[in-house]
Amino acid sequence: MLAYKKEFLQNLYRTMVRIRLFEEKVGECFLGGELPGFVHLYIGEEAIATGLLSELNQDDYVASTHRGHGHCIAKGAKIKPMMAEIFGKSTGYCKGKGGSMHIADFSVGMLGANGVVGGGINLAVGAALAAKMKKSGQVAVTFFGDGGANRGTVHEGMNMAAIWKLPVIFVCEFNQYASTTPSSYGTSVPNLAVRAQGYNMPGVTVDGNDVFAVNEAAKKALEYVRAGNGPYMLEFKTYRIKGHYVGDPELYRSKQEVQDHFDKNDPLKNFAKVVLAKKWLSQKDMDAIYAEVAAEVKTAVDDARKDPYPTDSELFNDYYVEGGVN
Amino acid sequence: MREISFSEATLEAMSEEMERDSSVFVLGEDIARQGGIFGQFKGLPQKFGTERVLDTPISETSIVGAAVGAALAGMRPVADMHFADFIGVCMDEVFNQMAKVRFMFGGQCKVPMVLRAPDGIIRSAAAQHSQSVEAWFMHIPGVKVVIPSNPADAKGLLKAAIRSDDPVLYFEHKVLFPMKGPVPDGDHIVPIGKANVSRAGKDVTIVSYSLMMHRALEAAEKLATEGVQAEVIDLRTISPIDKETIFESVRKTKRLVIVHEAVKQGGVGAEISALVAEEMIDWLDAPIRRIGAPFVPVPFSPPLEQLVKISADNIVKTVKEICR
Ligand SMILES: Cc1ncc(C[n+]2csc(CCOP(=O)(O)OP(=O)(O)O)c2C)c(N)n1
Ligand SMILES: [Mg+2]
């Protein structure tokens, strides 16, 4: 195992805890009847967004999924306007027009969560095409699940990115389920990374619950992609600890199965085990970060509750750039 | 008459038709394991096995494409679209394949399939999970489009759709699924292409369908207390459209309002207005009025979402404007 700078480790932990506590709070608020819409939580998958997106520059692009809060946070979005958006308030990133499923912060290259499974894949391919045309050196990362992997758009995007050698990383978050459907039923191969072969790009399967493994894999992929070699596929094995959406009765799996995964393979616990054993961080270091993030999340929620809803006149704002609506 | 929910009514239709005809089967995402997001497929796999109740991967193009192919090969598939918004994913399979093959191939084949699509606004599901897209499909020659408003029609139209030798799009509003209503026992069939006069009246004709029928009937109730007798027509099928039922009513009332949740621009109301204007403008005593959503995607935030929803009061107000 390589040594890491302390600040980097603290940042990894901060991001993972930020995602965890943010999501726990969102879940709580939803169950309390405070949130409109539907929310899909990223709990249990924090290591992927954190280990990977920590290697990106601010102007690199990310196209996300319906499970997008973690991607947003790890790309550098602020949790206050995120929380406000999920509450449907005018202070949210999308001024309340998008909500959880359409959360986005374009100022940090985050091209949006997506309500349509697979919807973001080719947005990333296109962003990578633009980067290549502009010779900007930017890369694009697109996320999809073990379920989303089966949409045609993924295959079209991979092939096109490969023939044009576009700087895009296809990231599969293999969390074992697509809604109620286990990956063992819905997906033709146990390791989706093998599909990369068919598109002539590297594809590796990595433990997505180990933020260090994710980070190492990310660095390799980025080096390859930034050098102009074309696209790369990363498959991260993980587990969706929470229901598909908050409120999911989860009739398709046992509570024991979930508990086992959480006990044995929680990315936060995994991180703590490593850094404590190697004495890279102390429990005190981590506790301080945890407390700081908890306070930050509390403020975000308190503010989101108080913030105003959009006014009626907002309906037709930020619509056609040139106006002209009847 | 016994009362059951809209989703139970569709379930009865599925069950009865699967029992009656072994070529009927159903495929879609999360329908066997979960029983459908709205419980509309609950119990079917236990009854008919997972060979006839197929959970699919997230692959809408394959779901609809395979349904078309299976129909060409003699089966009667019912494909579920999860949310109507996702029809966008498999639009080619719907409008270039499903709708056209019989005609293009000179009648050598037929496509007896149903595409079920839950639509409409429900609790801030936002722009990609709230749409009412039925009007797109009335612009496509080769498909039939039905859109029930109550449990009895839900059952009768689904049975008719499954038995139809033509491809049928079956839109079902998400808010309607838990709604209860009387459903006749036995082999209840509602013919495709036949509207229903849900309330008789002489002063104005309100044409609607799906969830908005409930707003229209509510509005008619309110109008009655103010001395306006509205006739309310439930279209039930939007392609082919039942012109005669509409015309007959308008000949009597001489006033027409069309109501739908979908955006007003280019909507079903535009087609009906045009039909009436073309063929019976001399009968009208007032301008035709259309009520539909403003031309904007469905926003997330509840107060904004409220602005694109149609209320009974909207309808009352519009009717009063033309009944003065
Ligand atoms: C095109 C499309 N089909 C279906 C859905 C409904 N849906 C939303 S999320 C989901 C499961 C996604 O599974 P996966 O890709 O594995 O991602 P995960 O939820 O596990 O993160 C489904 C079926 C959708 N939003 N879009
Ligand atoms: Mg998954």
Side-chain angles (χ1 to χ4, degrees), chain B residues 6 119-123 130 132 134 147-150 171-179 208-218 232 234 236 259-262 309-312 315:
Chain B
F6 189 102
D119 66 358
I121 294 174
I122 191 166
R123 64 165 321 224
S130 301
S132 292
E134 67 278 3
I147 185 158
S149 70
N150 59 63
F171 287 104
E172 37 201 338
H173 199 293
K174 301 191 276 283
V175 169
L176 290 174
F177 281 115
M179 207 175 265
S208 191
Y209 52 88
S210 189
L211 180 65
M212 287 305 112
M213 264 307 290
H214 300 268
R215 304 287 170 272
L217 289 169
E218 225 180 288
V232 186
D234 187 348
R236 305 197 290 195
V259 185
H260 48 65
E261 183 179 300
K309 283 161 83 170
I310 312 296
S311 68
I315 304 169

mmCIF file of all heavy atoms in Angstrom, chain B residues 6 119-123 130 132 134 147-150 171-179 208-218 232 234 236 259-262 309-312 315:
data_model
loop_
_atom_site.group_PDB
_atom_site.id
_atom_site.type_symbol
_atom_site.label_atom_id
_atom_site.label_comp_id
_atom_site.label_asym_id
_atom_site.label_seq_id
_atom_site.Cartn_x
_atom_site.Cartn_y
_atom_site.Cartn_z
ATOM 1 N N PHE B 6 -58.455 0.619 -9.483
ATOM 2 C CA PHE B 6 -58.023 0.672 -10.884
ATOM 3 C C PHE B 6 -56.942 -0.386 -11.144
ATOM 4 O O PHE B 6 -57.013 -1.132 -12.126
ATOM 5 C CB PHE B 6 -57.470 2.081 -11.150
ATOM 6 C CG PHE B 6 -57.169 2.413 -12.580
ATOM 7 C CD1 PHE B 6 -58.038 3.200 -13.320
ATOM 8 C CD2 PHE B 6 -55.981 2.005 -13.179
ATOM 9 C CE1 PHE B 6 -57.740 3.562 -14.635
ATOM 10 C CE2 PHE B 6 -55.671 2.358 -14.484
ATOM 11 C CZ PHE B 6 -56.553 3.133 -15.212
ATOM 12 N N ASP B 119 -48.700 7.163 -16.788
ATOM 13 C CA ASP B 119 -48.319 8.537 -17.125
ATOM 14 C C ASP B 119 -48.821 9.521 -16.075
ATOM 15 O O ASP B 119 -49.412 9.136 -15.073
ATOM 16 C CB ASP B 119 -48.843 8.905 -18.537
ATOM 17 C CG ASP B 119 -50.363 8.947 -18.602
ATOM 18 O OD1 ASP B 119 -51.035 8.660 -17.586
ATOM 19 O OD2 ASP B 119 -50.898 9.274 -19.685
ATOM 20 N N GLY B 120 -48.565 10.782 -16.310
ATOM 21 C CA GLY B 120 -49.154 11.837 -15.500
ATOM 22 C C GLY B 120 -48.326 12.300 -14.312
ATOM 23 O O GLY B 120 -47.327 11.703 -13.941
ATOM 24 N N ILE B 121 -48.803 13.396 -13.746
ATOM 25 C CA ILE B 121 -48.119 14.043 -12.629
ATOM 26 C C ILE B 121 -48.449 13.329 -11.324
ATOM 27 O O ILE B 121 -49.610 13.065 -11.038
ATOM 28 C CB ILE B 121 -48.566 15.519 -12.530
ATOM 29 C CG1 ILE B 121 -48.091 16.291 -13.762
ATOM 30 C CG2 ILE B 121 -48.055 16.167 -11.246
ATOM 31 C CD1 ILE B 121 -48.601 17.723 -13.828
ATOM 32 N N ILE B 122 -47.410 13.005 -10.565
ATOM 33 C CA ILE B 122 -47.626 12.456 -9.229
ATOM 34 C C ILE B 122 -46.527 12.955 -8.304
ATOM 35 O O ILE B 122 -45.358 12.915 -8.652
ATOM 36 C CB ILE B 122 -47.704 10.908 -9.254
ATOM 37 C CG1 ILE B 122 -48.193 10.372 -7.914
ATOM 38 C CG2 ILE B 122 -46.376 10.277 -9.624
ATOM 39 C CD1 ILE B 122 -48.612 8.912 -7.941
ATOM 40 N N ARG B 123 -46.880 13.443 -7.198
ATOM 41 C CA ARG B 123 -46.047 13.972 -6.115
ATOM 42 C C ARG B 123 -44.624 14.387 -6.516
ATOM 43 O O ARG B 123 -43.634 13.796 -6.103
ATOM 44 C CB ARG B 123 -46.023 13.023 -4.914
ATOM 45 C CG ARG B 123 -45.437 11.649 -5.031
ATOM 46 C CD ARG B 123 -45.209 11.101 -3.619
ATOM 47 N NE ARG B 123 -44.718 12.188 -2.753
ATOM 48 C CZ ARG B 123 -43.734 12.098 -1.887
ATOM 49 N NH1 ARG B 123 -43.163 10.977 -1.685
ATOM 50 N NH2 ARG B 123 -43.344 13.136 -1.193
ATOM 51 N N SER B 130 -43.214 12.613 -15.138
ATOM 52 C CA SER B 130 -44.538 13.191 -14.889
ATOM 53 C C SER B 130 -45.347 13.431 -16.148
ATOM 54 O O SER B 130 -46.455 13.951 -16.077
ATOM 55 C CB SER B 130 -44.378 14.557 -14.191
ATOM 56 O OG SER B 130 -43.692 14.432 -12.979
ATOM 57 N N SER B 132 -47.461 13.490 -19.692
ATOM 58 C CA SER B 132 -48.597 12.883 -20.380
ATOM 59 C C SER B 132 -48.297 13.034 -21.867
ATOM 60 O O SER B 132 -48.328 14.135 -22.403
ATOM 61 C CB SER B 132 -49.893 13.626 -20.032
ATOM 62 O OG SER B 132 -50.203 13.399 -18.677
ATOM 63 N N GLU B 134 -49.702 11.210 -24.503
ATOM 64 C CA GLU B 134 -50.643 10.501 -25.372
ATOM 65 C C GLU B 134 -50.814 11.157 -26.745
ATOM 66 O O GLU B 134 -50.979 10.460 -27.756
ATOM 67 C CB GLU B 134 -52.013 10.359 -24.681
ATOM 68 C CG GLU B 134 -52.799 11.668 -24.454
ATOM 69 C CD GLU B 134 -52.357 12.434 -23.226
ATOM 70 O OE1 GLU B 134 -51.410 12.007 -22.549
ATOM 71 O OE2 GLU B 134 -52.970 13.490 -22.932
ATOM 72 N N ILE B 147 -57.066 5.299 -23.055
ATOM 73 C CA ILE B 147 -56.640 6.025 -21.859
ATOM 74 C C ILE B 147 -57.818 6.123 -20.872
ATOM 75 O O ILE B 147 -58.532 7.109 -20.821
ATOM 76 C CB ILE B 147 -56.034 7.391 -22.296
ATOM 77 C CG1 ILE B 147 -55.443 8.165 -21.133
ATOM 78 C CG2 ILE B 147 -57.005 8.242 -23.096
ATOM 79 C CD1 ILE B 147 -54.404 9.213 -21.545
ATOM 80 N N PRO B 148 -58.026 5.042 -20.098
ATOM 81 C CA PRO B 148 -59.195 4.961 -19.225
ATOM 82 C C PRO B 148 -59.126 5.910 -18.033
ATOM 83 O O PRO B 148 -58.043 6.344 -17.648
ATOM 84 C CB PRO B 148 -59.175 3.516 -18.725
ATOM 85 C CG PRO B 148 -57.757 3.085 -18.849
ATOM 86 C CD PRO B 148 -57.198 3.816 -20.031
ATOM 87 N N SER B 149 -60.294 6.198 -17.457
ATOM 88 C CA SER B 149 -60.360 7.115 -16.322
ATOM 89 C C SER B 149 -60.853 6.451 -15.048
ATOM 90 O O SER B 149 -60.870 7.080 -14.004
ATOM 91 C CB SER B 149 -61.306 8.272 -16.653
ATOM 92 O OG SER B 149 -62.641 7.805 -16.698
ATOM 93 N N ASN B 150 -61.313 5.201 -15.141
ATOM 94 C CA ASN B 150 -61.901 4.570 -13.955
ATOM 95 C C ASN B 150 -61.699 3.055 -14.025
ATOM 96 O O ASN B 150 -61.370 2.518 -15.085
ATOM 97 C CB ASN B 150 -63.399 4.912 -13.884
ATOM 98 C CG ASN B 150 -64.126 4.436 -15.134
ATOM 99 O OD1 ASN B 150 -64.194 3.241 -15.415
ATOM 100 N ND2 ASN B 150 -64.649 5.373 -15.920
ATOM 101 N N PHE B 171 -52.530 3.997 -21.914
ATOM 102 C CA PHE B 171 -52.013 4.928 -20.909
ATOM 103 C C PHE B 171 -52.846 4.845 -19.646
ATOM 104 O O PHE B 171 -54.091 4.847 -19.712
ATOM 105 C CB PHE B 171 -52.035 6.365 -21.450
ATOM 106 C CG PHE B 171 -50.979 6.615 -22.489
ATOM 107 C CD1 PHE B 171 -51.311 6.692 -23.835
ATOM 108 C CD2 PHE B 171 -49.644 6.745 -22.121
ATOM 109 C CE1 PHE B 171 -50.329 6.909 -24.795
ATOM 110 C CE2 PHE B 171 -48.655 6.965 -23.080
ATOM 111 C CZ PHE B 171 -48.999 7.046 -24.416
ATOM 112 N N GLU B 172 -52.180 4.787 -18.507
ATOM 113 C CA GLU B 172 -52.883 4.677 -17.224
ATOM 114 C C GLU B 172 -52.260 5.694 -16.279
ATOM 115 O O GLU B 172 -51.054 5.685 -16.051
ATOM 116 C CB GLU B 172 -52.788 3.247 -16.689
ATOM 117 C CG GLU B 172 -51.450 2.558 -16.963
ATOM 118 C CD GLU B 172 -51.474 1.027 -16.898
ATOM 119 O OE1 GLU B 172 -52.364 0.461 -16.257
ATOM 120 O OE2 GLU B 172 -50.576 0.410 -17.495
ATOM 121 N N HIS B 173 -53.069 6.595 -15.778
ATOM 122 C CA HIS B 173 -52.546 7.666 -14.920
ATOM 123 C C HIS B 173 -52.130 7.117 -13.566
ATOM 124 O O HIS B 173 -52.892 6.403 -12.919
ATOM 125 C CB HIS B 173 -53.590 8.765 -14.754
ATOM 126 C CG HIS B 173 -52.987 10.065 -14.293
ATOM 127 N ND1 HIS B 173 -52.430 10.225 -13.052
ATOM 128 C CD2 HIS B 173 -52.835 11.265 -14.924
ATOM 129 C CE1 HIS B 173 -51.970 11.466 -12.924
ATOM 130 N NE2 HIS B 173 -52.196 12.116 -14.046
ATOM 131 N N LYS B 174 -50.937 7.501 -13.143
ATOM 132 C CA LYS B 174 -50.383 6.967 -11.899
ATOM 133 C C LYS B 174 -51.273 7.251 -10.686
ATOM 134 O O LYS B 174 -51.344 6.451 -9.765
ATOM 135 C CB LYS B 174 -48.980 7.549 -11.671
ATOM 136 C CG LYS B 174 -48.009 7.222 -12.809
ATOM 137 C CD LYS B 174 -46.576 7.565 -12.471
ATOM 138 C CE LYS B 174 -46.186 9.006 -12.703
ATOM 139 N NZ LYS B 174 -45.946 9.355 -14.120
ATOM 140 N N VAL B 175 -51.928 8.384 -10.705
ATOM 141 C CA VAL B 175 -52.789 8.740 -9.572
ATOM 142 C C VAL B 175 -54.043 7.861 -9.529
ATOM 143 O O VAL B 175 -54.659 7.680 -8.485
ATOM 144 C CB VAL B 175 -53.160 10.246 -9.639
ATOM 145 C CG1 VAL B 175 -54.254 10.614 -8.651
ATOM 146 C CG2 VAL B 175 -51.921 11.104 -9.383
ATOM 147 N N LEU B 176 -54.412 7.288 -10.672
ATOM 148 C CA LEU B 176 -55.649 6.495 -10.715
ATOM 149 C C LEU B 176 -55.496 5.104 -10.082
ATOM 150 O O LEU B 176 -56.484 4.519 -9.634
ATOM 151 C CB LEU B 176 -56.125 6.325 -12.164
ATOM 152 C CG LEU B 176 -56.671 7.573 -12.848
ATOM 153 C CD1 LEU B 176 -56.968 7.277 -14.322
ATOM 154 C CD2 LEU B 176 -57.927 8.087 -12.155
ATOM 155 N N PHE B 177 -54.269 4.564 -10.051
ATOM 156 C CA PHE B 177 -54.107 3.165 -9.641
ATOM 157 C C PHE B 177 -54.835 2.786 -8.347
ATOM 158 O O PHE B 177 -55.511 1.765 -8.302
ATOM 159 C CB PHE B 177 -52.627 2.781 -9.562
ATOM 160 C CG PHE B 177 -52.029 2.494 -10.912
ATOM 161 C CD1 PHE B 177 -51.036 3.298 -11.445
ATOM 162 C CD2 PHE B 177 -52.469 1.413 -11.663
ATOM 163 C CE1 PHE B 177 -50.487 3.032 -12.694
ATOM 164 C CE2 PHE B 177 -51.926 1.131 -12.913
ATOM 165 C CZ PHE B 177 -50.932 1.948 -13.426
ATOM 166 N N PRO B 178 -54.716 3.562 -7.274
ATOM 167 C CA PRO B 178 -55.402 3.150 -6.040
ATOM 168 C C PRO B 178 -56.891 3.522 -6.004
ATOM 169 O O PRO B 178 -57.606 3.136 -5.081
ATOM 170 C CB PRO B 178 -54.647 3.915 -4.947
ATOM 171 C CG PRO B 178 -54.045 5.092 -5.634
ATOM 172 C CD PRO B 178 -53.863 4.740 -7.082
ATOM 173 N N MET B 179 -57.350 4.265 -6.992
ATOM 174 C CA MET B 179 -58.721 4.775 -6.970
ATOM 175 C C MET B 179 -59.740 3.649 -7.165
ATOM 176 O O MET B 179 -59.597 2.827 -8.055
ATOM 177 C CB MET B 179 -58.857 5.811 -8.087
ATOM 178 C CG MET B 179 -59.901 6.860 -7.823
ATOM 179 S SD MET B 179 -59.844 8.106 -9.147
ATOM 180 C CE MET B 179 -58.796 9.351 -8.413
ATOM 181 N N SER B 208 -63.080 15.140 -21.926
ATOM 182 C CA SER B 208 -61.844 14.881 -21.205
ATOM 183 C C SER B 208 -61.543 13.392 -21.217
ATOM 184 O O SER B 208 -62.210 12.616 -21.921
ATOM 185 C CB SER B 208 -61.945 15.424 -19.774
ATOM 186 O OG SER B 208 -60.674 15.402 -19.158
ATOM 187 N N TYR B 209 -60.546 12.977 -20.427
ATOM 188 C CA TYR B 209 -60.180 11.559 -20.314
ATOM 189 C C TYR B 209 -59.195 11.424 -19.176
ATOM 190 O O TYR B 209 -58.682 12.407 -18.649
ATOM 191 C CB TYR B 209 -59.574 11.015 -21.621
ATOM 192 C CG TYR B 209 -58.438 11.851 -22.167
ATOM 193 C CD1 TYR B 209 -57.126 11.623 -21.769
ATOM 194 C CD2 TYR B 209 -58.688 12.898 -23.052
ATOM 195 C CE1 TYR B 209 -56.092 12.409 -22.249
ATOM 196 C CE2 TYR B 209 -57.658 13.684 -23.536
ATOM 197 C CZ TYR B 209 -56.366 13.437 -23.130
ATOM 198 O OH TYR B 209 -55.347 14.226 -23.599
ATOM 199 N N SER B 210 -58.949 10.182 -18.791
ATOM 200 C CA SER B 210 -57.967 9.865 -17.744
ATOM 201 C C SER B 210 -58.275 10.642 -16.457
ATOM 202 O O SER B 210 -59.432 10.943 -16.160
ATOM 203 C CB SER B 210 -56.553 10.137 -18.267
ATOM 204 O OG SER B 210 -55.584 9.642 -17.363
ATOM 205 N N LEU B 211 -57.243 10.997 -15.709
ATOM 206 C CA LEU B 211 -57.470 11.633 -14.407
ATOM 207 C C LEU B 211 -58.309 12.902 -14.515
ATOM 208 O O LEU B 211 -59.096 13.223 -13.619
ATOM 209 C CB LEU B 211 -56.113 11.962 -13.753
ATOM 210 C CG LEU B 211 -56.200 12.635 -12.380
ATOM 211 C CD1 LEU B 211 -56.832 11.706 -11.336
ATOM 212 C CD2 LEU B 211 -54.814 13.084 -11.908
ATOM 213 N N MET B 212 -58.150 13.639 -15.601
ATOM 214 C CA MET B 212 -58.863 14.911 -15.727
ATOM 215 C C MET B 212 -60.377 14.736 -15.810
ATOM 216 O O MET B 212 -61.130 15.688 -15.581
ATOM 217 C CB MET B 212 -58.342 15.706 -16.932
ATOM 218 C CG MET B 212 -56.976 16.305 -16.700
ATOM 219 S SD MET B 212 -56.884 17.339 -15.206
ATOM 220 C CE MET B 212 -55.819 16.361 -14.158
ATOM 221 N N MET B 213 -60.825 13.516 -16.133
ATOM 222 C CA MET B 213 -62.265 13.253 -16.096
ATOM 223 C C MET B 213 -62.830 13.554 -14.711
ATOM 224 O O MET B 213 -63.942 14.056 -14.563
ATOM 225 C CB MET B 213 -62.547 11.776 -16.433
ATOM 226 C CG MET B 213 -62.889 11.499 -17.855
ATOM 227 S SD MET B 213 -64.226 12.518 -18.484
ATOM 228 C CE MET B 213 -65.628 11.841 -17.588
ATOM 229 N N HIS B 214 -62.035 13.235 -13.696
ATOM 230 C CA HIS B 214 -62.506 13.453 -12.328
ATOM 231 C C HIS B 214 -62.617 14.943 -12.034
ATOM 232 O O HIS B 214 -63.548 15.389 -11.368
ATOM 233 C CB HIS B 214 -61.596 12.720 -11.332
ATOM 234 C CG HIS B 214 -61.584 11.234 -11.582
ATOM 235 N ND1 HIS B 214 -62.455 10.374 -10.954
ATOM 236 C CD2 HIS B 214 -60.864 10.490 -12.453
ATOM 237 C CE1 HIS B 214 -62.243 9.139 -11.412
ATOM 238 N NE2 HIS B 214 -61.283 9.184 -12.323
ATOM 239 N N ARG B 215 -61.686 15.720 -12.562
ATOM 240 C CA ARG B 215 -61.769 17.179 -12.396
ATOM 241 C C ARG B 215 -62.983 17.718 -13.182
ATOM 242 O O ARG B 215 -63.683 18.601 -12.717
ATOM 243 C CB ARG B 215 -60.506 17.856 -12.910
ATOM 244 C CG ARG B 215 -59.221 17.379 -12.304
ATOM 245 C CD ARG B 215 -59.030 17.843 -10.863
ATOM 246 N NE ARG B 215 -57.897 17.144 -10.289
ATOM 247 C CZ ARG B 215 -57.969 15.962 -9.670
ATOM 248 N NH1 ARG B 215 -59.142 15.372 -9.476
ATOM 249 N NH2 ARG B 215 -56.894 15.374 -9.210
ATOM 250 N N ALA B 216 -63.184 17.149 -14.352
ATOM 251 C CA ALA B 216 -64.280 17.618 -15.201
ATOM 252 C C ALA B 216 -65.632 17.335 -14.530
ATOM 253 O O ALA B 216 -66.531 18.184 -14.532
ATOM 254 C CB ALA B 216 -64.204 16.953 -16.574
ATOM 255 N N LEU B 217 -65.753 16.155 -13.940
ATOM 256 C CA LEU B 217 -67.019 15.806 -13.282
ATOM 257 C C LEU B 217 -67.241 16.660 -12.036
ATOM 258 O O LEU B 217 -68.363 17.085 -11.748
ATOM 259 C CB LEU B 217 -67.041 14.313 -12.927
ATOM 260 C CG LEU B 217 -67.179 13.383 -14.145
ATOM 261 C CD1 LEU B 217 -66.921 11.930 -13.758
ATOM 262 C CD2 LEU B 217 -68.567 13.529 -14.797
ATOM 263 N N GLU B 218 -66.140 16.928 -11.333
ATOM 264 C CA GLU B 218 -66.208 17.810 -10.172
ATOM 265 C C GLU B 218 -66.677 19.203 -10.608
ATOM 266 O O GLU B 218 -67.539 19.819 -9.972
ATOM 267 C CB GLU B 218 -64.783 17.942 -9.635
ATOM 268 C CG GLU B 218 -64.573 17.823 -8.156
ATOM 269 C CD GLU B 218 -63.066 17.981 -7.877
ATOM 270 O OE1 GLU B 218 -62.286 17.038 -8.212
ATOM 271 O OE2 GLU B 218 -62.671 19.044 -7.396
ATOM 272 N N VAL B 232 -70.597 15.821 -19.846
ATOM 273 C CA VAL B 232 -69.181 15.461 -19.740
ATOM 274 C C VAL B 232 -68.923 14.161 -20.490
ATOM 275 O O VAL B 232 -69.551 13.136 -20.224
ATOM 276 C CB VAL B 232 -68.741 15.319 -18.265
ATOM 277 C CG1 VAL B 232 -67.232 15.090 -18.196
ATOM 278 C CG2 VAL B 232 -69.120 16.559 -17.460
ATOM 279 N N ASP B 234 -66.292 11.244 -21.629
ATOM 280 C CA ASP B 234 -65.020 10.564 -21.383
ATOM 281 C C ASP B 234 -64.587 9.926 -22.696
ATOM 282 O O ASP B 234 -65.205 8.973 -23.168
ATOM 283 C CB ASP B 234 -65.232 9.492 -20.294
ATOM 284 C CG ASP B 234 -63.925 8.844 -19.863
ATOM 285 O OD1 ASP B 234 -62.899 9.048 -20.542
ATOM 286 O OD2 ASP B 234 -63.948 8.131 -18.836
ATOM 287 N N ARG B 236 -62.011 8.056 -23.570
ATOM 288 C CA ARG B 236 -61.552 6.673 -23.379
ATOM 289 C C ARG B 236 -60.572 6.191 -24.447
ATOM 290 O O ARG B 236 -59.585 5.551 -24.140
ATOM 291 C CB ARG B 236 -62.728 5.688 -23.279
ATOM 292 C CG ARG B 236 -63.724 6.051 -22.196
ATOM 293 C CD ARG B 236 -64.603 4.892 -21.853
ATOM 294 N NE ARG B 236 -65.546 4.569 -22.908
ATOM 295 C CZ ARG B 236 -66.597 3.780 -22.736
ATOM 296 N NH1 ARG B 236 -66.816 3.215 -21.548
ATOM 297 N NH2 ARG B 236 -67.421 3.530 -23.731
ATOM 298 N N VAL B 259 -60.474 19.242 -21.969
ATOM 299 C CA VAL B 259 -59.589 19.320 -20.800
ATOM 300 C C VAL B 259 -58.608 18.153 -20.791
ATOM 301 O O VAL B 259 -59.030 16.997 -20.869
ATOM 302 C CB VAL B 259 -60.409 19.243 -19.487
ATOM 303 C CG1 VAL B 259 -59.490 19.460 -18.281
ATOM 304 C CG2 VAL B 259 -61.552 20.239 -19.480
ATOM 305 N N HIS B 260 -57.316 18.459 -20.707
ATOM 306 C CA HIS B 260 -56.348 17.387 -20.437
ATOM 307 C C HIS B 260 -55.176 17.892 -19.628
ATOM 308 O O HIS B 260 -54.894 19.079 -19.590
ATOM 309 C CB HIS B 260 -55.882 16.687 -21.717
ATOM 310 C CG HIS B 260 -55.456 17.588 -22.840
ATOM 311 N ND1 HIS B 260 -54.362 18.418 -22.767
ATOM 312 C CD2 HIS B 260 -55.981 17.763 -24.082
ATOM 313 C CE1 HIS B 260 -54.231 19.053 -23.926
ATOM 314 N NE2 HIS B 260 -55.204 18.694 -24.732
ATOM 315 N N GLU B 261 -54.504 16.942 -18.980
ATOM 316 C CA GLU B 261 -53.353 17.286 -18.144
ATOM 317 C C GLU B 261 -52.118 17.591 -18.987
ATOM 318 O O GLU B 261 -51.249 18.367 -18.593
ATOM 319 C CB GLU B 261 -53.061 16.120 -17.183
ATOM 320 C CG GLU B 261 -51.934 16.410 -16.215
ATOM 321 C CD GLU B 261 -51.659 15.262 -15.253
ATOM 322 O OE1 GLU B 261 -52.572 14.888 -14.489
ATOM 323 O OE2 GLU B 261 -50.530 14.754 -15.259
ATOM 324 N N ALA B 262 -52.051 16.986 -20.169
ATOM 325 C CA ALA B 262 -50.906 17.206 -21.062
ATOM 326 C C ALA B 262 -50.850 18.667 -21.479
ATOM 327 O O ALA B 262 -51.852 19.388 -21.409
ATOM 328 C CB ALA B 262 -51.043 16.323 -22.302
ATOM 329 N N LYS B 309 -50.766 22.044 -13.026
ATOM 330 C CA LYS B 309 -51.867 21.099 -12.851
ATOM 331 C C LYS B 309 -53.207 21.787 -13.086
ATOM 332 O O LYS B 309 -53.355 22.962 -12.811
ATOM 333 C CB LYS B 309 -51.839 20.509 -11.433
ATOM 334 C CG LYS B 309 -50.775 19.436 -11.265
ATOM 335 C CD LYS B 309 -50.433 19.177 -9.821
ATOM 336 C CE LYS B 309 -51.387 18.235 -9.136
ATOM 337 N NZ LYS B 309 -50.833 17.847 -7.802
ATOM 338 N N ILE B 310 -54.157 21.005 -13.583
ATOM 339 C CA ILE B 310 -55.476 21.555 -13.883
ATOM 340 C C ILE B 310 -56.415 21.240 -12.717
ATOM 341 O O ILE B 310 -56.479 20.098 -12.267
ATOM 342 C CB ILE B 310 -56.062 20.887 -15.150
ATOM 343 C CG1 ILE B 310 -55.041 20.871 -16.288
ATOM 344 C CG2 ILE B 310 -57.384 21.541 -15.554
ATOM 345 C CD1 ILE B 310 -54.620 22.195 -16.804
ATOM 346 N N SER B 311 -57.138 22.248 -12.265
ATOM 347 C CA SER B 311 -58.082 22.010 -11.175
ATOM 348 C C SER B 311 -59.513 22.140 -11.698
ATOM 349 O O SER B 311 -59.761 22.690 -12.769
ATOM 350 C CB SER B 311 -57.859 23.043 -10.068
ATOM 351 O OG SER B 311 -58.238 24.319 -10.548
ATOM 352 N N ALA B 312 -60.443 21.644 -10.898
ATOM 353 C CA ALA B 312 -61.853 21.785 -11.259
ATOM 354 C C ALA B 312 -62.218 23.266 -11.398
ATOM 355 O O ALA B 312 -63.015 23.647 -12.264
ATOM 356 C CB ALA B 312 -62.727 21.109 -10.204
ATOM 357 N N ILE B 315 -61.598 24.677 -14.727
ATOM 358 C CA ILE B 315 -62.611 24.265 -15.701
ATOM 359 C C ILE B 315 -63.883 25.088 -15.512
ATOM 360 O O ILE B 315 -64.465 25.601 -16.481
ATOM 361 C CB ILE B 315 -62.904 22.747 -15.575
ATOM 362 C CG1 ILE B 315 -61.600 21.944 -15.742
ATOM 363 C CG2 ILE B 315 -63.946 22.309 -16.601
ATOM 364 C CD1 ILE B 315 -61.719 20.466 -15.380
#
